[in-house]
């Protein structure tokens, strides 16, 4: 609780003087700086609790809670966010409070940018691209190359420069309660850095203006997009908590088809790849999305990393990858999966364990609609493990691993090489999760 100003001690008066100087400097730089209220644990200074999942191991996850006043920012525009993030290699602790929704597709003056703005000057046009790589003339054996592919890549680079936000080490990015805080159309990139907290934010409408055609992807080719709302690459000690992830307002059902395949403008919601490690994903809502959470981007990621805890999240209207786990030791507990088709998002599976992933899935709750198949809640390649216990389907204890294995030729292994120890909030019954998580997850719950 913050002390009323008339009772402020001499020490905090001094802190305010320092802060005032920082405010003056920062206002000149176009960034609003707030006083860091040291000594009280407000929302912005909260750290991951002891034993709360893999991100609590070792040095734990404190984010930017040691930030001084000069590195405590409140931002409401894209340009302010970029400035507050600073250099990706600057490890000075920083707290970034996001007030309201930041539209990533805006220029430095706040003007809205469209896909046409990014394409301008590159020579790219979708109609020319479609003509150049039509399978009937270009074939299906190689990736697009040549003038239009170069132009597409150039346009994509322009958009990336605008919408990708690189988060440095020792940073907390937290939404200001009551402001509808979040990022629309952007990607938070947490790459090769340690100790990051992301909380109380709505991530929506992360869209690639320039999907790439890959005729060699799958049996019929695929359109692939570049951006996850939050992407972890080689990141360690990351706590993603109380966020909401959604494709809205442009849902996949509105995607056109080209070459008979869905023109997919979305990639992941929260991807954890390239030897990222020690991650806790808690009390988020994932909704209206297809490829939601990748843990490991290739079957050949090295072993010993990709350790992730996923607990007390709601997954609703998710097609797949909730998560797709590779290689690592992954603990999935106390989640609520509603696999009812929502807005055209029809679930293919919830959890996929492949490339020798060691998944422990316990005390989760699945809501499966009439006619839904319990055998399809999981997926695997025959090398991944899921050790399951205490999972409920529509309120009844169900061995979801046995149900999958009975129906599949690529059985999940049922034992794992580890026992979760960092489980401070684990509930031994999943029974009440549909009710309790409804009011304790996602953005705008925290005060
Ligand atoms: Ca991705
Ligand atoms: Ca089988």
């Amino acid at each position: 609780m913050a002390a009323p100003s008339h009772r402020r001690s001499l020490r905090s008066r001094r802190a305010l003087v320092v802060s005032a100087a920082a405010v003056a400097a920062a206002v000149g730089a176009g960034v609003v700086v707030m006083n860091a209220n040291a000594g009280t644990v407000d929302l912005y200074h909260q750290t991951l609790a002891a034993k709360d999942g893999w991100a609590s191991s070792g040095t734990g996850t404190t984010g930017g809670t040691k930030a001084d006043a000069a590195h405590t920012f409140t931002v409401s525009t894209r340009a302010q966010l970029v400035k507050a993030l600073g250099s990706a290699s600057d490890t000075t602790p920083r707290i970034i409070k996001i007030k309201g929704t930041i539209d990533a597709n805006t220029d430095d003056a706040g003007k809205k940018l469209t896909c046409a703005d990014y394409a301008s000057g590159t020579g790219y046009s979708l109609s020319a691209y479609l003509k150049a790589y039509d399978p009937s003339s270009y074939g299906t054996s190689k990736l697009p190359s040549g003038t239009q592919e170069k132009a597409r890549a150039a346009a994509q680079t322009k958009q990336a420069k605008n919408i990708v936000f690189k988060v440095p080490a020792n940073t907390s990015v937290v939404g200001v309660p009551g402001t509808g805080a979040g990022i629309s159309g952007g990607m938070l990139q947490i790459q090769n850095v340690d100790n990051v907290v992301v909380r109380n934010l709505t991530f929506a409408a992360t869209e690639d203006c320039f999907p790439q055609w890959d005729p060699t992807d799958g049996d019929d080719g695929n359109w692939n997009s570049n951006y996850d709302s939050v992407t972890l690459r080689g990141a360690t000690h990351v706590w993603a908590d109380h966020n909401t992830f959604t494709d809205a307002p442009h849902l996949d059902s509105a995607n056109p088809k080209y070459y008979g395949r869905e023109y997919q403008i979305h990639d992941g919601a929260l991807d954890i790849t390239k030897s990222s490690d020690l991650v806790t994903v808690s009390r988020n809502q994932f909704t209206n999305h297809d490829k939601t959470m990748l843990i490991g981007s290739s079957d050949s990621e090295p072993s010993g990393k990709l350790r992730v805890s996923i607990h007390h999240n709601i997954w609703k209207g998710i097609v797949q990858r909730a998560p797709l786990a590779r290689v690592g030791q992954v603990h999935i507990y106390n989640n609520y999966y509603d696999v009812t088709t929502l807005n055209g998002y029809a679930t293919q599976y919830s959890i996929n364990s492949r490339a020798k992933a060691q998944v422990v899935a316990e005390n989760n709750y699945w809501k499966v609609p009439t006619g839904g198949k319990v055998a399809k809640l999981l997926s695997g390649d025959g090398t991944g493990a899921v050790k399951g216990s205490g999972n409920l389907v529509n309120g009844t204890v169900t061995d979801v691993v046995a149900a999958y294995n009975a129906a599949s030729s690529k059985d999940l292994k049922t034992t794992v090489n580890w026992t979760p120890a960092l489980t401070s909030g684990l509930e031994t019954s999943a029974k009440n999760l549909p009710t309790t998580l409804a009011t304790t997850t996602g953005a705008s719950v925290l005060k």
Side-chain angles (χ1 to χ4, degrees):
M1 196 171 67
S5 56
H6 65 273
R7 287 201 279 119
R8 276 199 175 107
S9 67
L10 180 64
R11 196 174 152 195
S12 60
R13 267 176 225 274
R14 207 173 287 137
L16 279 176
V17 172
V18 172
S19 169
V23 167
V27 165
V31 178
V32 180
V33 178
M34 302 288 285
N35 177 42
N37 196 0
T40 60
V41 184
D42 62 13
L43 177 60
Y44 311 103
H45 290 84
Q46 289 169 11
T47 59
L48 178 63
K51 296 199 171 179
D52 187 349
W54 273 119
S56 69
S57 75
T59 52
T61 301
T62 59
T65 49
K66 291 188 179 126
D68 60 17
H71 294 89
T72 302
F73 309 90
T74 299
V75 300
S76 296
T77 69
R78 178 190 151 277
Q80 288 171 350
L81 175 58
V82 168
K83 236 169 214 165
L85 287 166
S87 161
S89 59
D90 182 353
T91 60
T92 312
R94 66 191 65 221
I95 292 173
I96 301 175
K97 308 175 186 181
I98 295 186
K99 194 173 179 181
T101 301
I102 290 177
D103 185 346
N105 290 296
T106 51
D107 69 12
D108 288 349
K111 183 181 152 275
K112 180 75 186 166
L113 295 175
T114 65
C115 293
D117 290 323
Y118 297 124
S120 172
T122 66
Y124 172 83
S125 85
L126 178 59
S127 58
Y129 189 87
L130 290 173
K131 206 174 160 192
Y133 307 111
D134 192 319
S136 65
S137 50
Y138 188 76
T140 57
S141 63
K142 58 184 193 297
L143 274 165
S145 65
T147 306
Q148 269 302 307
E149 171 55 24
K150 270 187 200 147
R152 186 204 63 78
Q156 192 172 56
T157 299
K158 278 175 70 181
Q159 187 185 17
K161 272 188 184 146
N162 215 73
I163 71 165
V164 176
F165 302 103
K166 295 177 184 169
V167 181
N170 306 317
T171 296
S172 294
V173 187
V174 183
V176 177
T179 69
I183 298 176
S184 172
M187 173 162 95
L188 275 191
Q189 179 175 301
I190 306 170
Q191 182 164 333
N192 300 331
V193 297
D194 182 63
N195 194 25
V196 173
V197 171
V198 179
R199 300 182 80 198
N200 202 35
L201 294 165
T202 294
F203 295 94
T206 302
E207 298 168 5
D208 190 338
C209 286
F210 309 102
Q212 184 186 35
W213 172 243
D214 182 355
T216 71
D217 182 353
D219 293 341
D220 306 303
N222 272 313
W223 291 97
N224 291 314
S225 280
N226 241 3
Y227 312 111
D228 314 321
S229 291
V230 177
T231 201
L232 277 56
R233 299 172 184 167
T236 50
H237 291 111
V238 178
W239 181 31
D241 176 77
H242 279 99
N243 303 291
T244 296
F245 296 82
T246 176
D247 288 349
H250 178 107
L251 305 180
D252 280 349
S253 53
N255 287 338
K257 281 187 177 177
Y258 299 120
Y259 309 151
R261 302 293 294 161
E262 180 180 357
Y263 191 66
Q264 179 57 273
I265 60 175
H266 304 112
D267 194 26
L270 170 54
D271 279 4
I272 301 163
T273 62
K274 306 213 182 298
S275 293
S276 290
D277 199 21
L278 308 176
V279 178
T280 297
V281 179
S282 54
R283 298 197 182 272
N284 302 279
Q285 289 189 5
F286 298 93
T287 189
N288 291 318
H289 197 86
D290 186 344
K291 296 176 274 186
T292 303
M293 182 184 295
L294 204 51
I295 300 177
S297 55
S298 125
D299 285 352
S300 56
E301 288 229 19
S303 59
K305 301 202 171 178
L306 296 170
R307 289 173 291 181
V308 181
S309 301
I310 300 167
H311 71 84
H312 293 96
N313 303 281
I314 290 181
W315 312 76
K316 185 174 180 158
I318 298 302
V319 177
Q320 58 180 321
R321 302 184 181 175
L324 183 159
R326 289 179 163 111
V327 177
Q329 296 173 329
V330 177
H331 193 198
I332 304 171
Y333 59 98
N334 296 151
N335 293 276
Y336 174 45
Y337 295 92
D338 182 347
V339 301
T340 311
T341 296
L342 179 70
N343 297 323
Y345 292 92
T347 300
Q348 291 173 7
Y349 67 83
S350 299
I351 300 168
N352 185 327
S353 178
R354 58 182 294 122
K356 298 184 181 170
Q358 304 291 305
V359 175
V360 175
E362 56 184 329
N363 308 335
N364 300 289
Y365 191 112
W366 270 273
K367 180 183 175 186
V368 178
T370 307
K373 289 203 169 69
V374 175
K376 291 192 149 187
L377 301 179
L378 306 181
S379 183
D381 67 348
T383 72
V386 177
K387 183 186 181 196
S389 65
N391 295 302
L392 304 185
V393 173
N394 298 338
T396 302
V397 177
T398 304
D399 188 338
V400 293
V401 184
Y404 167 81
N405 283 348
S408 168
S409 59
K410 294 177 178 171
D411 281 14
L412 290 160
K413 308 215 178 294
T414 57
T415 58
V416 292
N417 63 8
W418 68 297
T419 303
L422 304 168
T423 59
S424 63
L426 188 143
E427 298 177 63
T428 52
S429 169
K431 201 166 180 52
N432 295 323
L433 292 172
T435 309
T436 58
L437 295 189
T439 54
T440 57
T441 57
S444 78
V445 167
L446 295 173
K447 302 289 179 222

